[in-house]
Structures are given as structure tokens and as C-alpha cells.
Amino acid sequence: MALRSANILFKDETAGTLVETANGGTRFAYHSDWNKGNIACCFPSTQREHEWKVGLHPFFQHLGPEGWLREQQARSAHVVEEDDLGLLLRYGADCIGAVSIRPPDGNHRSHRQSRTHGFRCAEETACHQGR
């Protein structure tokens, strides 16, 4: 399986890169020219690389959806529900807060843009189902 990566944006400026590691963890690294401070208190910019041994660092993991919305987004994107990075690569451009996640090729489609391609976002689907 190819290791995936993502661009990490802070207030719409690329701050660094998140990369899966061969041992099943992830590594966030600030870009060499990033000088605008920390994207989060758990990632001080004085330390340029931050590695998490297993899975996705909780900071990034908590940017993703939970519950019924997670189920709906995973189903819509054909992503395994437990694949935190996969969900963030697909939906991370619309995270709450200053941090967003985008695929390295810059090709992302938010749920708002998906509506114009004939898909419903999870919130619309839930409304129609009476949730």
C-alpha cells in the first residue's frame, strides 16, 4: 500500500505536511519556510517534525467527524469508517477552526462543492431522514 500524505493549512496558508509512516504512524513536519508560529500547542514550531507512532495524532484525529456523520461520510466517499486520514483527505478542507487538510495534489472537493456534482452532503441527508 502506498503511503499517503496531506498538506496542512493554517488559516488557508500551507504550514506543513502530514505523512503516513511505514510503521503505521504519522509524521507532521512544518515546511522549512513556515515562520508564523504553531498550528496547535501540541505542535510547537520550534520543533519542525512531530511523529506519532501509531495511527493519526489525536489533534488531527479530532478534526474528523463522529457518529452518524462519520458513517455517512465514509459511505459517501467509499472510505473505511476507521480510516481517519482517508476521511480527512476527502473532507478535511472543511474542518472547524483554523486548520484544514488537503490532498497534496490540491485536488479536493468539499461537501459544498459536491452538491453541484449531484451528491448530497451528510447534513442534507440527515435532514431528509428526520434526524
Side-chain angles (χ1 to χ4, degrees):
M1 177 173 99
L3 299 178
R4 299 172 294 177
S5 65
N7 288 328
I8 304 301
L9 285 74
F10 183 75
K11 297 182 180 179
D12 293 323
E13 292 187 49
T14 304
T17 306
L18 181 67
V19 179
E20 285 181 313
T21 60
N23 62 356
T26 49
R27 178 183 311 109
F28 168 69
Y30 284 102
H31 285 178
S32 59
D33 60 347
W34 181 258
N35 61 2
K36 297 183 177 165
N38 308 337
I39 64 163
C41 60
C42 58
F43 297 123
S45 59
T46 54
Q47 179 184 339
R48 302 308 280 182
E49 289 192 11
H50 303 269
E51 188 160 343
W52 194 252
K53 299 277 185 215
V54 179
L56 197 56
H57 187 282
F59 173 81
F60 294 113
Q61 189 177 32
H62 288 101
L63 292 175
E66 297 177 338
W68 67 267
L69 181 57
R70 183 182 187 90
E71 292 172 20
Q72 189 74 4
Q73 286 184 344
R75 191 173 21 255
S76 295
H78 304 288
V79 173
V80 176
E81 191 176 334
E82 293 76 24
D83 183 3
D84 294 313
L85 183 56
L87 286 169
L88 287 175
L89 284 168
R90 179 63 173 85
Y91 297 103
D94 288 329
C95 292
I96 292 175
V99 175
S100 58
I101 292 95
R102 300 218 174 116
D105 60 8
N107 184 14
H108 74 283
R109 187 172 60 193
S110 72
H111 67 81
R112 288 185 211 107
Q113 292 168 315
S114 295
R115 291 183 199 165
T116 62
H117 289 83
F119 299 107
R120 280 191 178 156
C121 74
E123 293 93 340
E124 282 180 337
T125 303
C127 288
H128 293 297
Q129 293 174 348
R131 289 188 186 157

